[in-house]
Amino acid sequence: MSTMGGPSSGSSQYRIVVALLVVLFLVAGFLRLNDFSLYTPDSVRYVIWGSSLAHGHGFVDDTQPEAQRFVEHAPLYALLLAPAGLVAPLSLSAAKCTTLVWGALVIVLAGAWFRRRLSETGALAAILLLVVSPLLFIYSTEALSEAPFLAFLLGILLLVERAAFDGTPSKGEWYLLVLLVATVGLLREVGAAVALAVVVFLAVRRRFLRAGLLALASAGMLLVWYVRNQV
């Protein structure tokens, strides 16, 4: 695309096409939204916890005869649903709308990742395949943590690459990386393996201070949640 009026023109056209693909994805996802859940009871539990958090009750499932405070799943996704729970308590559709936004963010971040490695045309082709992917579409239109986890993972990949290869990241980028690595294990259990991989990678790259700080942040966050959930 850069041959159509120079690099500046090509980059502008690239951003426009990406924006249109994201809008198309959001519109298609919005048309699929309904109150039916393909995944139960996980989706319902997330919505209940999100609404409880939104109203200041903490992680409590009070829909049962006896309120339950133990959380069976990784807790961060329920926290991400809290704003939707504040606007529309116990609404599965509102939770799905929130997840759809995370799915759109996955496309944007994947586009940034593709563009660092491919031409603009190649990056657009890869983004198009992602937009029409049935799996991403389903995960982005259900109350499940897969789409946010993918967004966290792509954000971590981009920021780690910045920290390891592109010199010193800005303070904002570094703080964001610490936040993502520290909390990705609370979004999905496999996120703990992602955090460990980041720590090992930075240590191999001789970024020992950064690796140590990320290890402490991730382990500390998981420990705090474990104590809360068990005690």
Side-chain angles (χ1 to χ4, degrees):
M1 293 186 64
S2 60
T3 59
M4 300 173 60
S8 177
S9 174
S11 297
S12 177
Q13 293 177 18
Y14 172 85
R15 288 191 291 268
I16 291 173
V17 174
V18 172
L20 290 174
L21 289 174
V22 171
V23 170
L24 177 64
F25 181 82
L26 288 170
V27 170
F30 183 79
L31 293 175
R32 184 184 181 272
L33 296 181
N34 51 55
D35 288 325
F36 175 76
S37 177
L38 293 178
Y39 298 92
T40 56
D42 292 4
S43 296
V44 176
R45 287 172 177 163
Y46 285 128
V47 173
I48 292 170
W49 291 324
S51 295
S52 178
L53 287 167
H55 292 85
H57 301 151
F59 286 92
V60 179
D61 180 359
D62 56 3
T63 63
Q64 305 181 55
E66 183 177 349
Q68 181 179 347
R69 296 182 179 275
F70 179 80
V71 178
E72 296 92 340
H73 309 300
L76 185 56
Y77 178 60
L79 184 61
L80 298 178
L81 294 181
L86 186 62
V87 176
L90 299 178
S91 171
L92 186 60
S93 293
K96 289 181 177 182
C97 284
T98 301
T99 311
L100 181 60
V101 174
W102 282 100
L105 181 59
V106 168
I107 295 172
V108 173
L109 294 175
W113 177 262
F114 294 142
R115 197 179 182 192
R116 293 176 71 98
R117 287 154 180 78
L118 305 171
S119 65
E120 290 187 349
T121 302
L124 285 176
I127 294 171
L128 180 60
L129 289 176
L130 193 60
V131 169
V132 300
S133 167
L135 194 59
L136 179 62
F137 186 72
I138 291 174
Y139 281 151
S140 299
T141 52
E142 293 291 331
L144 294 169
S145 60
E146 275 80 359
F149 177 75
L150 286 173
F152 271 53
L153 180 60
L154 287 166
I156 288 171
L157 288 174
L158 290 167
L159 291 170
V160 167
E161 186 175 72
R162 170 76 169 158
F165 299 111
D166 297 342
T168 303
S170 66
K171 286 186 177 180
E173 291 172 335
W174 171 245
Y175 292 151
L176 180 57
L177 177 59
V178 172
L179 176 63
L180 293 178
V181 172
T183 57
V184 69
L186 299 179
L187 187 55
R188 291 186 65 83
E189 288 80 358
V190 72
V194 174
L196 178 61
V198 172
V199 170
V200 171
F201 175 75
L202 290 178
V204 170
R205 298 291 301 180
R206 305 183 69 82
R207 304 295 199 272
F208 298 116
L209 179 58
R210 295 177 185 175
L213 289 173
L214 290 178
L216 287 175
S218 180
M221 192 69 72
L222 291 173
L223 178 61
V224 168
W225 173 251
Y226 177 82
V227 171
R228 179 269 167 208
N229 208 32
Q230 298 296 328
V231 178

